[in-house]
Amino acid sequence: MENELAAEIVLSAPLPDRSALDPLLPRLAEETLARSLGTRGKGSLLDWSLSSDTVRLTLGSDGGRPHQALLSLARRLGEQLGRERKIGVRSLRVTAYRVTFPVETAPAKPVSLPIPHALTFRDGRAHLELTELSEDALRDNWMDRTVQLVLEKIKRQAYEGKEQYWSLLQAARPREHRGRTDPTEEMLRRNWVRSGPTKGKWFLGPTVAHLYRTMERIARQEVLEPLGFSEVVSPHHDAFETLLKTGHLEGLPGEFYYVAEPKSRDPADWERFTDLVKITRRVPAAELAERVGPPSAVLCYAQCPTIYWWLSGRTIPVDRLPLKIYDRTAISNRYESGGRHGLERLDEFHRIEPVYLGTPEQLAKLREELLARYAHVFDQILELEWRTAWVTPFYMQQSGGVGVEDAQARVKGTIDYEAYLPYRGTREGSEWLEFQNLSIVGDKYTQAFTIRAQKGELWSGCSGIGLERWLTTFLAQKGFEPNDWPEGFRRYVGELPRDVDFL
Ligand code: ATP
Ligand code: ZN
Ligand code: MG
């Protein structure tokens, strides 16, 4: 059989002999297997024995897996014996759970798993055995999730080293560029910005702060307000619970900044720490580590997860759809490590994130409206050289969310906006900068957070407006001479503030 599950059921008292469970046990096995497998497959009791208070049994099945049947078998056995003999089920333990399932390709490298197991591949099938599964693990479907993980890891190996899926949507219209230099270098030379004091964080002086706020105003007044988006204010800390639901926690654990809380706020508990600081004028790192707990949240990575949390369990009235909201308060924090580059790739940056929920038709229409408003900004106001590409993030291809080959591939998925940066080299030979994106994710998050429409299907999507990227793109193409800047932008920017001439 495809699947075999061997288990031990320990009763609260011994039974005289096997006849005490015959034909009860075979009948319960047959009924629970039939019920839990339904039309998906067939199962049977392969073997069973009784010694004193311990029932050992093996269930086999083809099609579906037999663990739900085992759980209800144990429950019903307890009920029956309770009624007949005042005996209950004390514990349920899995001794071995073997499943086989087809795999598209054999894995290129060994597939590791973090729980006790044996895994081999033969003739286009994987043979997986889990041992030491607790009753809770069985109930929580660890086996099904482990099978999914094996399939995902094989798929990931096949993708490794391959580029993210990318196909040009709208080509760029070439423009003449005043800008030649790396804008961050130029801003540093002018003392307009300063890097630090912690990794990947930048201090924006008055001029750059003004330019950054101008970009924000343009996004709000030219895109979000005309399309009827309402502002919300979102917290900066994201709960693990939320990121478990979106899949971010499993997708990006190495890109988060984690938040740790003090174990106590009582000065007495901190006295030794405080005294050491006073004497040494250093941070007593080990003392500090003792006094803070393990990470309990992360700093906002993107705003949409917590926006979905806000809507979780809610039903949205039809006349409020499509729901259009945006957050510009929570700051994005990402551990970019080796990829950091000036204001183009920071560890702390500012994004406006519009989030939208509606029927598939409403969102397809809204996307066209957003595309048109964005095009207006980049063509008429900022006068950029930009293009769009259809991309599907790796994690979406993995988690069975949005496949490239999906029938609705061109509705669900992500559009990246990219800009040519002259300082990096030629148009063809240099890497363009992704300065924003726009996604429709189908019902992935509305399902995960149980967000419903009063009537019909509810989809969602979001768009990441990277304000530092808008700014560096603009300066990289247009340069630093305000008289050269496009008319539309000059109107928005107004008078530049007086910066500080350091001595
Ligand atoms: P990248 O591929 O450049 O790392 P991403 O795919 O991680 O970008 P998203 O998570 O899709 O980016 O975020 C949306 C927008 O946020 C991007 O289009 C960009 O404008 C901005 N952004 C992302 N990472 C950074 C960063 N480290 N510094 C500045 N802006 C960023
Ligand atoms: Zn988002
Ligand atoms: Mg990134």
Side-chain angles (χ1 to χ4, degrees):
M1 298 208 122
E2 265 173 23
N3 311 304
E4 276 188 36
L5 173 55
E8 273 180 15
I9 298 174
V10 179
L11 304 172
S12 59
L15 284 174
D17 58 53
R18 194 179 150 102
S19 69
L21 290 179
D22 206 3
L24 174 65
L25 191 75
R27 180 172 61 77
L28 287 180
E30 195 185 316
E31 286 175 14
T32 54
L33 280 164
R35 181 160 222 171
S36 78
L37 296 175
T39 54
R40 284 177 301 141
K42 285 197 314 287
S44 60
L45 178 62
L46 298 179
D47 176 34
W48 72 279
S49 67
L50 172 77
S51 70
S52 174
D53 61 353
T54 305
V55 186
R56 292 194 178 81
L57 75 165
T58 307
L59 299 180
S61 72
D62 287 318
R65 300 197 175 98
H67 56 271
Q68 295 301 345
L70 175 69
L71 290 164
S72 38
L73 184 153
R75 183 175 46 77
R76 290 184 55 192
L77 184 68
E79 286 165 7
Q80 192 73 24
L81 292 176
R83 243 175 279 134
E84 286 171 9
R85 302 169 186 259
K86 302 256 172 298
I87 290 177
V89 167
R90 176 161 292 160
S91 66
L92 169 65
R93 191 170 81 86
V94 170
T95 47
Y97 192 178
R98 271 189 291 274
V99 304
T100 69
F101 51 95
V103 289
E104 260 171 47
T105 49
K109 300 187 296 201
V111 173
S112 66
L113 292 172
I115 54 177
H117 72 283
L119 176 64
T120 55
F121 296 89
R122 228 176 310 120
D123 308 326
R125 297 185 77 80
H127 301 258
L128 171 66
E129 175 172 342
L130 295 185
T131 45
E132 299 173 39
L133 272 187
S134 69
E135 192 179 333
D136 283 344
L138 212 58
R139 186 162 285 127
D140 271 357
N141 283 326
W142 282 24
M143 179 52 100
D144 294 347
R145 292 190 196 147
T146 308
V147 168
Q148 281 312 312
L149 180 59
V150 170
L151 293 172
E152 184 192 313
K153 286 190 138 189
I154 295 172
K155 204 166 161 195
R156 190 185 296 263
Q157 287 181 359
Y159 273 101
E160 237 160 55
K162 289 197 187 145
E163 293 283 308
Q164 165 175 274
Y165 180 81
W166 188 97
S167 83
L168 184 67
L169 271 183
Q170 188 189 316
R173 186 151 46 87
R175 290 182 185 268
E176 294 243 3
H177 299 294
R178 298 274 173 176
R180 283 280 166 273
T181 51
D182 178 338
T184 301
E185 296 294 321
E186 183 59 24
M187 285 187 268
L188 277 168
R189 204 186 57 74
R190 294 168 177 240
N191 281 327
W192 280 3
V193 293
R194 191 165 187 184
S195 157
T198 57
K199 277 184 196 159
K201 318 285 190 295
W202 287 70
F203 193 100
L204 312 184
T207 306
V208 181
H210 181 81
L211 293 174
Y212 150 73
R213 289 291 183 204
T214 303
M215 292 300 177
E216 187 185 63
R217 240 175 324 116
I218 293 172
R220 294 173 68 202
Q221 293 179 15
E222 296 290 340
V223 180
L224 300 169
E225 287 166 11
L227 291 180
F229 278 81
S230 324
E231 184 176 3
V232 295
V233 173
S234 167
H236 288 261
H237 290 187
D238 289 356
F240 286 145
E241 212 41 50
T242 303
L243 301 169
L244 274 170
K245 286 194 179 146
T246 57
H248 282 84
L249 198 62
E250 67 205 59
L252 304 157
E255 283 191 49
F256 292 127
Y257 272 96
Y258 292 91
V259 177
E261 292 168 26
K263 287 180 183 163
S264 152
R265 78 184 284 264
D266 180 352
D269 294 326
W270 287 88
E271 187 176 337
R272 188 180 151 77
F273 176 88
T274 321
D275 292 348
L276 280 168
V277 172
K278 285 179 181 162
I279 294 169
T280 64
R281 285 282 138 220
R282 295 220 166 96
V283 181
E287 297 284 333
L288 179 60
E290 266 176 36
R291 286 167 177 77
V292 294
S296 55
V298 307
L299 290 181
C300 168
Y301 177 93
Q303 292 103 310
C304 60
T306 295
I307 291 179
Y308 289 119
W309 167 84
W310 170 56
L311 296 168
S312 61
R314 311 278 203 206
T315 302
I316 304 170
V318 166
D319 66 5
R320 196 64 176 87
L321 292 176
L323 182 62
K324 297 179 251 184
I325 48 185
Y326 73 93
D327 177 86
R328 63 180 170 121
T329 298
I331 294 163
S332 300
N333 280 261
R334 299 185 184 183
Y335 189 74
E336 295 282 4
S337 189
R340 277 179 211 116
H341 182 82
L343 267 74
E344 281 158 33
R345 188 174 292 281
L346 312 104
D347 274 23
E348 180 178 311
F349 53 96
H350 302 83
R351 300 179 338 135
I352 303 180
E353 185 159 354
V355 173
Y356 25 90
L357 296 92
T359 63
E361 299 71 35
Q362 286 173 331
L363 293 200
K365 176 163 171 280
L366 178 60
R367 181 171 65 192
E368 296 312 309
E369 292 168 349
L370 276 164
L371 288 170
R373 292 311 302 181
Y374 283 140
H376 162 71
V377 169
F378 305 142
D379 284 337
Q380 320 296 331
I381 297 175
L382 303 180
E383 298 186 13
L384 298 177
E385 180 170 342
W386 60 285
R387 69 185 178 201
T388 53
W390 184 259
V391 296
T392 302
F394 182 65
Y395 70 90
M396 282 195 166
Q397 295 179 28
Q398 288 317 297
S399 56
V402 185
V404 186
E405 305 81 12
D406 201 288
Q408 295 166 308
R410 294 280 152 139
V411 180
K412 284 196 272 178
T414 299
I415 295 169
D416 271 2
Y417 282 74
E418 302 178 343
Y420 169 51
L421 302 187
Y423 85 87
R424 287 188 181 179
T426 61
R427 288 186 169 81
E428 301 73 30
S430 68
E431 197 189 335
W432 290 37
L433 181 70
E434 175 196 329
F435 62 96
Q436 70 161 30
N437 60 20
L438 192 166
S439 298
I440 293 182
V441 297
D443 63 1
K444 183 178 149 106
Y445 295 141
T446 46
Q447 288 272 347
F449 288 87
T450 340
I451 309 168
R452 293 191 194 85
Q454 186 182 4
K455 200 169 89 217
E457 209 180 348
L458 189 66
W459 277 19
S460 74
C462 64
S463 175
I465 304 176
L467 292 171
E468 282 88 351
R469 297 250 174 121
W470 275 32
L471 179 59
T472 43
T473 297
F474 180 80
L475 293 173
Q477 292 190 4
K478 303 292 160 204
F480 283 74
E481 178 46 61
N483 291 325
D484 293 341
W485 290 346
E487 191 46 44
F489 182 75
R490 289 223 308 268
R491 236 178 293 129
Y492 263 100
V493 87
E495 187 92 0
L496 285 181
R498 191 173 156 213
D499 219 297
V500 189
D501 303 312
F502 296 107
L503 299 176

